[in-house]
Amino acid sequence: YITMTGPLKQSEVVPHYKSADLLVLMAQPDWHWGIPNVLVEALAAKTPVITTLFGSVEELVKDKETGLLVPPKDPAALAEAIEKLYRDETLRTRLAGAGYQFVVEHFDLDKNIKLFQRKLVHDDASSLLA
């Protein structure tokens, strides 16, 4: 079953992540860039994700490690990825756990603020990219 909710308030979104078997974001490179919050939020809720290659999404969703990546505008590849996760509970669980761990380690706001403070106050600002 697929649920298309339409717009939701932030407080209404979290229960959907927790009850979902997976989240699919078929973003298009010509419309999207960066890392969408919906992917970070889904992984933080231990929901496996499938998305397309666009922007800097590969910084978060590493194919077959923290989620599945499919080419944009490729419904056959998307269907194959959905079926793969539908049939393989072990893979779903592994991707969800790895995605969650990655978000905890790399998207922790307090940790990242402290890192940037250390770099900006005590180090050379050029080391931010190191």
Side-chain angles (χ1 to χ4, degrees):
Y1 297 96
I2 297 172
T3 302
M4 295 187 172
T5 64
L8 296 172
K9 295 178 184 173
Q10 183 62 33
S11 62
E12 298 171 321
V13 173
V14 174
H16 287 282
Y17 290 134
K18 292 184 183 251
S19 68
D21 294 314
L22 66 112
L23 178 125
V24 175
L25 177 63
M26 288 304 290
Q28 302 305 316
D30 36 338
W31 307 339
H32 298 91
W33 53 274
I35 300 173
N37 285 342
V38 67
L39 294 173
V40 177
E41 293 167 355
L43 292 174
K46 295 186 180 177
T47 303
V49 301
I50 300 171
T51 191
T52 49
L53 294 163
F54 69 95
S56 53
V57 76
E58 289 177 282
E59 291 177 24
L60 173 65
V61 181
K62 297 171 186 326
D63 193 34
K64 298 180 186 86
E65 290 179 35
T66 62
L68 296 181
L69 293 170
V70 297
K73 301 177 184 175
D74 190 339
L78 174 61
E80 184 179 317
I82 292 171
E83 184 172 3
K84 183 178 204 169
L85 288 185
Y86 170 75
R87 296 190 182 283
D88 192 339
E89 182 179 354
T90 302
L91 178 60
R92 277 196 322 270
T93 302
R94 182 179 62 76
L95 292 175
Y100 170 80
Q101 193 60 43
F102 191 84
V103 167
V104 166
E105 292 173 9
H106 299 280
F107 287 82
D108 179 274
L109 185 59
D110 291 330
K111 181 176 155 183
N112 287 326
I113 287 172
K114 288 175 185 171
L115 171 68
F116 276 86
Q117 284 176 327
R118 272 196 321 274
K119 296 279 188 187
L120 290 171
V121 174
H122 302 292
D123 294 344
D124 174 38
S126 66
S127 66
L128 281 172
L129 301 175

